[in-house]
Amino acid sequence: MSDDGLHLRPFRGLRYAPDRVSSLAAVTSPPYDVVVRPDGVHHLETADPYNIVRLILPDTADPAAAPRQAAGTLRRWRAEGVLTRDERPALYAYEQRRGAVLQRGLIGALRLDGPVLPHEDVVPEIVADRAALMRETAANLEPLLLTYRGDDPPPAGPGAAAVLERATGREPLLATTTEDGFAHRLWSVDDPDEIAAVAADLADRTALIADGHHRWATCLRLRDERPDDPAWAHGLVLLVDSARYPLQVRAIHRVLPHLPPGRALTALGGAFRARPVPGPLPGALDRLAETPGNALLLAHGPYDGHPAGFHLLDRPDPELLARTVPSDRPEAWRRLDATLLHTVLLDHVWGVPDRPADIGYLHSAEDAVAQAARHGGTAVLLRPEREETVRELAAEGVMMPRKSTSFGPKPATGLVLRPLDGPGADGAAGPPG
């Protein structure tokens, strides 16, 4: 087996005891960065007193106390038997299905020094926040979403695809349907021969981070803080073969709460052509999707006697692009809508500081528009990039602007956690503890 490939190890998962919660659906959550705070946190907290959001986004008056509160909550839930640890180390086969959408993959503890390609920059403040939470809880609370390209079609013999298909033909450990309409099923893969077949198949693979760049950066930071602890040398991931289960790619939108729409439009000058487009939102997004070349959609609530509405920005000034877009990057990077948004508009035209208080990132266009209107600010809506573009740039080691893409469907948080303490934390097949 090559030492340069992906090393996915089994671990003893920590899972909800079904008889201690109202339902598995009621204790799950979207990933922490998809939850719209504070409304989303409150909605999840009231779904069930043991909802996982109390661990991934603890609600405290003092943000500095949040990691300690989450750690105390996790210890209490484990002591009370709300969360129980599986007896045997295992990989976990995971399926998500809604209508024609089907995604399957393997959840395991991935060695962090393998060939994993990020494609987006991260916000240091968010990494610091996630690191503080992981230090205190000593747990991977939610998996990253990683993809790799397997053989298409897969070989008939043993391999990750065959192991996954066999697992999904057995009785699942759990099955639930979340309020977004996705049905989730989870199976244990603890047979040594099947685990060995997965390891051999992944030995020469390279993975792309589809979702979870901040969690990946957090895992790397904490691994470096604990170089002698093998548990911290691994991170919790869902690994999906996108040759068999292609992921969906969506845009992530920006909310600029301190940029009033009037000032946003006036400051444009000739940087972009700006044209009002009729709503409602779906129609405005269709116009954005149909526009050739670089384009962005500004959305805003009522301001200075103007009604709420949308403006389509396109035809950027070539001379301005030549002055503001770095020339030492590949052409594919220079043509990204997100590149022009950050380097031209945010940095040069609008002067918006690059910090969480001034730029919000939301996966839902509806939520972005509503939040901008609530703050009297501006939302900038983007189009999704092609997965091939993302892979091309990642293979060249070129980072896209942060939060450029949203791959999915994303794994539900709360179905299986990975404690970093006790026997089996590093994937070793030790005795139950």
Side-chain angles (χ1 to χ4, degrees), residues 151-288:
D151 301 315
D152 190 15
V163 169
L164 185 58
E165 292 308 307
R166 282 199 296 271
T168 56
R170 302 194 288 259
E171 188 70 20
L173 291 173
L174 62 86
T176 190
T177 300
T178 45
E179 65 179 10
D180 59 4
F182 270 99
H184 306 262
R185 295 196 295 171
L186 192 76
W187 296 263
S188 176
V189 178
D190 58 11
D191 179 87
D193 291 336
E194 292 188 329
I195 292 172
V198 171
D201 191 358
L202 299 179
D204 297 313
R205 308 291 188 191
T206 297
L208 173 76
I209 299 178
D211 185 68
H213 283 80
H214 289 89
R215 280 164 279 165
W216 179 257
T218 297
C219 287
L220 295 180
R221 174 184 292 190
L222 297 181
R223 174 202 62 184
D224 293 343
E225 291 178 5
R226 297 166 170 80
D228 299 323
D229 189 336
W232 294 81
H234 296 74
L236 183 63
V237 306
L238 167 62
L239 193 58
V240 174
D241 177 359
S242 59
R244 304 199 68 216
Y245 301 103
L247 274 70
Q248 300 171 323
V249 187
R250 294 190 171 90
I252 302 178
H253 311 289
R254 275 62 170 161
V255 175
L256 313 176
H258 306 306
L259 180 67
R263 182 157 68 85
L265 291 166
T266 301
L268 284 174
F272 281 73
R273 181 176 68 169
R275 295 175 291 159
V277 295
L281 178 59
L285 289 171
D286 287 343
R287 286 288 302 275
L288 174 64

Side-chain angles (χ1 to χ4, degrees), residues 315-370:
R315 297 187 184 179
D317 177 9
E319 293 185 2
L320 178 60
L321 299 189
R323 294 198 311 270
T324 57
V325 179
S327 59
D328 59 346
R329 307 287 180 87
E331 184 65 21
W333 182 89
R334 293 168 55 84
R335 292 197 307 265
L336 296 171
D337 290 339
T339 294
L340 270 58
L341 170 59
H342 282 263
T343 63
V344 180
L345 287 176
L346 296 178
D347 293 349
H348 182 80
V349 174
W350 291 331
V352 175
D354 186 10
R355 57 194 183 198
D358 291 278
I359 306 176
Y361 299 89
L362 291 180
H363 293 72
S364 163
E366 291 82 359
D367 291 337
V369 172

